[in-house]
Amino acid sequence: MTFQDHNTSTGHLLIFLEDWLVTLDMLLFFILGLFVHFVFFGSIFDIYFTSPLVHGMTPQFTPLPPPAKRLVLFVADGLRADTLYELDENGNSRAPFIRNIIMHEGSWGLSHTRVPTESRPGHVALIAGFYEDVSAVAKGWKENPVEFDSLINESKYTWSWGSPDILTMFAKGAYGDHVFTYTYDADSEDFGAHDVTKLDTWVFDKVKEFFHAARNNQSLFSKLNEEKIVFFLHLLGIDTNGHAHRPSSREYKDNIKLVDAGMKEMVSILEHFYGNDGKTAFIFTSDHGMTDWGSHGAGHPSETLTPFVTWGAGIKYPQKVSAQKFDDAFLKEWRLESWKRQDIHQADIAPLMASLIGVPFPLNSVGILPVDYLNNTDLFKAESMFTNAIQILEQFKVKMTQKKEVTLPFLFIPFKLLPESKQLNIVRKARSYIKQRKYDEAVSLCKELIHLALKGLSYYHTYDRFFLAINVVLGFLGWTSYAFLLIIKSHFNLTRGVNKEVKKPSHLLSCSCIAIGVFVAFFLLLQDCPWTYYIYCLLPVPIWYAVLREFQVIQDFVTLLLTVPPSYFVGYLLVFILGIEILVLSFFYRYMLTAGLLAFAGWPFITQLWTRAKSISLSWIFFSLLLAAFPLMPVVGRKPDIFLVMGAGLLVLLLSLCVLTSLIKRKDSFINEELLLHLFQMLSVVLSMCVTYSTHSSLRKKQGLPLLNQIISWLILAFSLVLPLLSPTSLFERLFSILLSLMSTYILLSTGYEALFPLVLSCLMFVWIQVEQETLQQRGISCKQKVTSVRFTCSTDITQFRQLYLDDVRRAFFLVFFLVTAFFGTGNIASVNSFDLASVYCFLTVFSPFMMGALMMWKILIPFVLVMCAFEAVQLTTQLSSKSLFLMVLVISDIMALHFFFLVKDYGSWLDIGTSISHYVIVMSMTIVLVFLNGLAHLLTTKKLRLCGKPKSHLI
């Protein structure tokens, strides 16, 4: 080996080691960033949405004999109030039995549900009387995340029929062996089944068989004649038909007719079995509604307004009125303006049911007994209301005691509106009114006590909110500052030409941070705080230590800013703030993205790009304008169109043929493997089109999901992330291979125009790569290679990285803007109810919330992956390290997240609450997912797989 060879080897080794250290540094930073953002993401649930349950109360029940011996609860899952109450096009009711009850036998109204409008929280509110925290949705349908009391648990016996997802939840939480459940197989919940009304007919048939068998079973017969028993019929067909066919469909409306007829038969059977003894109370309601496009989960009125009809023992008969207090137009639309409507909150149903059959009110119930529904003596109403007040007051006392025990005495601030003296005074006064037979005054006083106790419960439930929010905001600001300083330190030469000694951080700073950390930990320990509080409160300490130890960088940056003309600095700052606010506003108004893309289309005219590269500029303008149309489109799923999906597939095939022809002409030789791969990817697009059309046709004919279609769909999904790794690593070919693979999957997950979106987005991304290289050349920075000759490589030569310029902030903003467009441009809205289950019907139709959720999440992420792969190319062609641009993206995303953190609310309309939660969850998820997507994009663009290690063969 010569001396020159030795030097060359040493040089390569040094570059390798330096590159490895940079990679390790990035990896450690990303791990730290992930941890910090997971903490920020989880903080919203500790600050705003924690479990409201407390334990240790004593059961409370009305001391008077109840009006009913038994209760029958019908829950029509997913039933909207308007679809039930309105008349059809012929002026007839879809539910004649229920309408007859409203007019001749019972009372009715609307039940107002809360976010999240899902089956589990809805049934918990109905039967247990309290509202689960939002995070409970993610904890599963089959298990109890927390132990709670319910009407079913308090009953003597309960028999229930219906879905295994709902019934097992209450059976598991009940004490003893007095709860009997009868469920069908989970596989029966098939959205693609020929007739999903069988879910409801199964329930009705089993109930009929049950009462028929009871006549010949003495043990069962005696149990059925006990008092305080509950029959619970959970009817899932309407919800399943709504998801599969939309609430406006004939199937959904026919299912309502079937349920109405089935209920009529059930009531007849029960009345006959008990000899019309008049001791049965009936309640019919729903757990949640459904949007026009067949989803639920958020706070739209179509999801939160559900029907409530009750009749039988202890219930008031219909009351005819000349005027009603409601401002909405529902009564006139439903032609029920003459029958008194009484609206309630969903949690109010639990105390009503408990009062009717004389069982203790569920211990955790926050429902207020709707006494206007009761047909009983004034004494019974007053005693029931008093019991309700004491039951809620018990929760308030336990909550206050718990908070007082874990708070330092000099820091504890009690709820001033309900001190102990006032509690005793109201209770004594209410009891005195009852003795004096001033029942109306007693009821009013009890309602006042309930409202005060509920306010007090909310006060102690949110006692630590401000403290936690301050710590999370400090962490947010510290992390954003740290990321910004890393950009400044690593990629700006602030002290160019100035020899300054690097000052080591003083021991005072280190000791101060340690002292603060110890003090905070000791403070939390004294208050017996949960372990998550330690994370929220201690995390800002090391983050701000890392920021403050870079004091020299801060000082140098401020010095640099002072040399910049104020007008220039203010101008750039205003543009940056405007850009951030447009991104934030796009979560509320999708058309803001259209405005942004129109501004992008005009961007070449205010730069030299138009004069230097007209063809690239025209392409940029054309695709920006084309993409600008998508945020104006209706939300996905509301207007499905299979022909647009087929059109998208044909456009992809046409583009593939053009690219294939171009590559064959451009290359002197074309590799067999490359040609076969390209043709195989085109074939997968064709297969996707065929499977999508075939599945759509089969489901429309109610023939279910064909097994062959399901197998092909899963195979295409599995191969979509592998096939690009077989393609050449040249920039254009690799990116196009990624587009073809992901488009084959995206077509399977599409229901309408959104299938065109990734294609238009990718075309703009290809142009963006060329635009960025062109703008770099305008700055006088030489680019060693043309875009067509650039190759993705696993190891990057860090000596090619350059310093950052102000224009690089614009590049980072472009990326964040494209990522937000990737979410909203596909027809999503910033709400959990915007996702259409029909998107996954090529893969599965049997209800599986987590699998369906994963597939819909992948559909959302595909445009993100395309943008991130283009971003990889931009970093490569502009000679920027991935860390520098990625840090700027994180800073912009975190500023947006901080906006939404302050906008989260747990008050106001349920639509506002649901939207505010969705906004924060989406923007924080986007920030977290970016780290993974960055790694996935790097893998897809740089890794190269070889089949069987064969040598390359060429076509001459």
Side-chain angles (χ1 to χ4, degrees), residues 301-345:
S302 62
E303 300 165 89
T304 60
L305 298 181
T306 58
F308 180 73
V309 182
T310 180
W311 68 100
I315 298 297
K316 271 187 181 176
Y317 289 103
Q319 302 170 68
K320 293 202 95 175
V321 291
S322 56
Q324 304 211 43
K325 61 181 179 180
F326 301 99
D327 296 328
D328 55 57
F330 292 142
L331 289 166
K332 193 172 182 181
E333 288 173 14
W334 302 335
R335 298 183 190 174
L336 290 170
E337 55 265 47
S338 299
W339 283 269
K340 187 177 180 181
R341 166 183 153 192
Q342 301 176 67
D343 286 9
I344 59 172
H345 294 291

Side-chain angles (χ1 to χ4, degrees), residues 75-81 111-123 126 141 166 234-236 238-240 243 252 285-291 294-298 300-307 346:
V75 178
D77 204 303
L79 175 61
R80 288 168 53 145
S111 168
H112 296 260
T113 71
R114 285 195 183 183
V115 175
T117 46
E118 296 287 351
S119 291
R120 180 197 160 81
H123 281 89
L126 277 171
W141 278 254
I166 298 300
H234 176 247
L235 307 165
L236 188 62
I238 292 173
D239 183 74
T240 310
H243 286 307
Y252 186 86
T285 188
S286 175
D287 55 345
H288 57 75
M290 189 172 285
T291 60
S295 65
H296 53 82
H300 191 273
S302 62
E303 300 165 89
T304 60
L305 298 181
T306 58
Q346 194 172 47

Side-chain angles (χ1 to χ4, degrees), residues 867-879:
V867 173
M868 290 305 294
C869 288
F871 184 54
E872 280 283 320
V874 167
Q875 290 175 108
L876 190 63
T877 57
T878 56
Q879 300 165 17

Side-chain angles (χ1 to χ4, degrees), residues 515-589:
I516 291 169
V518 170
F519 174 77
V520 169
F522 186 66
F523 175 76
L524 296 173
L525 188 65
L526 284 176
Q527 300 206 107
D528 196 24
C529 292
W531 64 271
T532 50
Y533 282 36
Y534 288 85
I535 297 175
Y536 303 140
C537 298
L538 290 174
L539 186 62
V541 177
I543 290 177
W544 278 103
Y545 171 72
V547 171
L548 295 174
R549 67 187 299 230
E550 302 295 344
F551 178 76
Q552 186 65 55
V553 178
I554 298 169
Q555 195 176 40
D556 292 341
F557 182 66
V558 171
T559 305
L560 177 68
L561 285 182
L562 292 174
T563 64
V564 178
S567 57
Y568 188 76
F569 171 72
V570 171
Y572 264 98
L573 186 63
L574 287 175
V575 169
F576 180 76
I577 291 170
L578 179 65
I580 294 288
E581 293 307 316
I582 286 174
L583 289 173
V584 170
L585 284 172
S586 68
F587 279 71
F588 299 93
Y589 314 103

Side-chain angles (χ1 to χ4, degrees), residues 293 634-639 751-754 826-828 834-836 839 859:
W293 55 98
V635 173
V636 162
R638 299 186 187 183
K639 293 183 180 178
T751 60
Y753 73 86
E754 81 272 19
T826 54
N828 299 311
S834 68
F835 309 122
D836 183 18
S839 300
K859 179 185 178 181

Side-chain angles (χ1 to χ4, degrees), residues 609-760:
L609 191 64
W610 174 253
T611 54
R612 293 191 49 158
K614 285 195 176 180
S615 60
I616 294 174
S617 297
L618 285 170
S619 300
W620 172 263
I621 293 165
F622 175 74
F623 287 115
S624 293
L625 293 175
L626 204 57
L627 197 66
F630 283 92
L632 300 176
M633 300 281 191
V635 173
V636 162
R638 299 186 187 183
K639 293 183 180 178
D641 191 336
I642 193 67
F643 295 106
L644 284 176
V645 180
M646 296 299 102
L650 289 173
L651 284 174
V652 171
L653 290 174
L654 182 63
L655 185 62
S656 300
L657 287 172
C658 294
V659 170
L660 184 61
T661 307
S662 172
L663 287 173
I664 291 173
K665 283 181 180 178
R666 200 175 69 211
K667 289 194 173 185
D668 296 330
S669 57
F670 201 68
I671 302 170
N672 272 328
E673 287 179 6
E674 293 177 22
L675 179 61
L676 287 172
L677 175 65
H678 199 94
L679 292 174
F680 187 78
Q681 288 183 303
M682 290 174 67
L683 176 64
S684 70
V685 173
V686 173
L687 280 174
S688 294
M689 292 168 64
C690 294
V691 166
T692 303
Y693 187 82
S694 170
T695 302
H696 177 80
S697 177
S698 178
L699 292 176
R700 193 174 54 189
K701 294 173 184 175
K702 298 185 179 179
Q703 294 174 350
L705 171 61
L707 180 61
L708 181 62
N709 288 13
Q710 191 175 19
I711 293 169
I712 292 172
S713 298
W714 284 106
L715 285 173
I716 290 172
L717 176 63
F719 281 113
S720 64
L721 291 176
V722 178
L723 291 177
L725 304 181
L726 299 170
S727 64
T729 54
S730 61
L731 187 146
F732 182 76
E733 289 177 68
R734 177 55 68 95
L735 289 179
F736 193 75
S737 178
I738 292 168
L739 170 63
L740 275 183
S741 284
L742 294 182
M743 273 303 297
S744 60
T745 303
Y746 202 83
I747 287 169
L748 292 170
L749 293 166
S750 296
T751 60
Y753 73 86
E754 81 272 19
L756 294 162
F757 180 78
L759 187 60
V760 177

